[in-house]
Structure formats: C-alpha cells, structure tokens
Amino acid sequence: MEMRYVDGRPVPPGYHLETRPRKGLVVSGPIIFGIPYVLSASVGASSRFDPDRWLYVPVVGPFADLGARGSQCTRNTFVVSAGVTNTTENCIDDSGARFFLMLDGLMQTAGATMLILGLALPSHLLVRDDAPYAAAAPAKGGWTLRPLTMGRSGYGVGVDGSF
C-alpha cells in the first residue's frame, strides 16, 4: 500500500505522493528532550545555589549553569614563623555535578534537534489511490467470550457468536 519515493522519479499510475513528518524523530525527540529538562528544572527549583536558576531555560540552561559555576576555592594564608607564611587552597570538587550538567545539556540539545529535523525534513511516500479499499473484507462472523450470570447467584463464562 505504501512505497518509498525516490526524488526525480515519476509517480507510477495508481499512486499519489504524500509527505509525512518522520514519526521516529517526532516521537523520540520530545522524550529525549523532555525527561532531562523536567529533571533539571526540578533541580533548579529545589537548589539554593544561584547558578542553578539557569536550569529553567531549556537547552541553553545547563551550559549557562556550567559557565556560571566557576571554581569554588578558598585560600588560607597563615604565618608559620617570623617571615615565613604557608598558603593552602581548599577547593570544592563538583566534577559530578559538572558531568551531569553537560550530559543534561547534550541530551536536551539532541532531543530538540531530533524534533526539529523530524518536522523540517519530512519523508515522501507513494500511497496507492485505492488504499482504504485494499484491505481484505472483514469476516462475516465472529465470537466473543464474556462473563454470564447462571442461576440466582452463580457466575460463569459464555460464548456469543454470529455466523
């Protein structure tokens, strides 16, 4: 009932050309975009860290949050003896958060790109002109299994059919 259309070739008799969005990209794109976005927006809502407010912005937000984080290091200098000082630097390791922000941003970007491409680059199909009538005729009879009451308080299974 449907054939792939090759650009430039004539449409065979009995067929017409239809343009449809690419279903796989249109369905999977919002899922791949939506799940990470909802999770990151919930993190942005519950976090007290100011750069996490960027997580409300789709696609760009995780990358902006990554850039706004900066390094969280404190430098302590203390005197060891007369004229001698010692400096220590303590940094908070947030490499796990940075990894998940990058993953979040890449997944949102991939999902949005898939949706846009699925809508912008539709597929072309050749569909038979008699497509609604091409299926076999429905069967003349059939049967159904259903619960029945039997007697005053009994239950059972019955078969109804038409032939």
Side-chain angles (χ1 to χ4, degrees), residues 112-123:
T113 303
M114 290 169 68
L115 174 63
I116 291 168
L117 289 177
L119 295 173
L121 302 172
S123 62

Side-chain angles (χ1 to χ4, degrees), residues 3-131:
M3 291 191 314
R4 188 173 56 98
Y5 175 69
V6 178
D7 288 333
R9 289 199 176 166
V11 176
Y15 284 86
H16 65 276
L17 185 64
E18 285 189 9
T19 303
R20 298 180 185 165
R22 297 184 186 272
K23 185 188 268 186
L25 292 174
V26 171
V27 170
S28 61
I31 292 171
I32 292 174
F33 164 77
I35 292 172
Y37 175 70
V38 168
L39 291 174
S40 67
S42 66
V43 167
S46 64
S47 177
R48 294 183 182 183
F49 192 53
D50 285 337
D52 285 344
R53 299 297 175 240
W54 278 105
L55 295 176
Y56 289 121
V57 180
V59 179
V60 179
F63 300 115
D65 185 356
L66 204 57
R69 281 179 174 264
S71 62
Q72 297 177 356
C73 296
T74 57
R75 185 173 286 186
N76 298 324
T77 303
F78 55 94
V79 177
V80 176
S81 61
V84 179
T85 60
N86 191 2
T87 303
T88 60
E89 188 170 274
N90 293 328
C91 296
I92 297 174
D93 181 27
D94 64 343
S95 59
R98 290 178 182 276
F99 170 77
F100 284 111
L101 282 171
M102 184 61 72
L103 181 66
D104 179 28
L106 291 174
M107 287 183 69
Q108 286 185 31
T109 303
T113 303
M114 290 169 68
L115 174 63
I116 291 168
L117 289 177
L119 295 173
L121 302 172
S123 62
H124 302 289
L125 295 171
L126 292 171
V127 180
R128 284 180 41 180
D129 291 334
D130 62 346

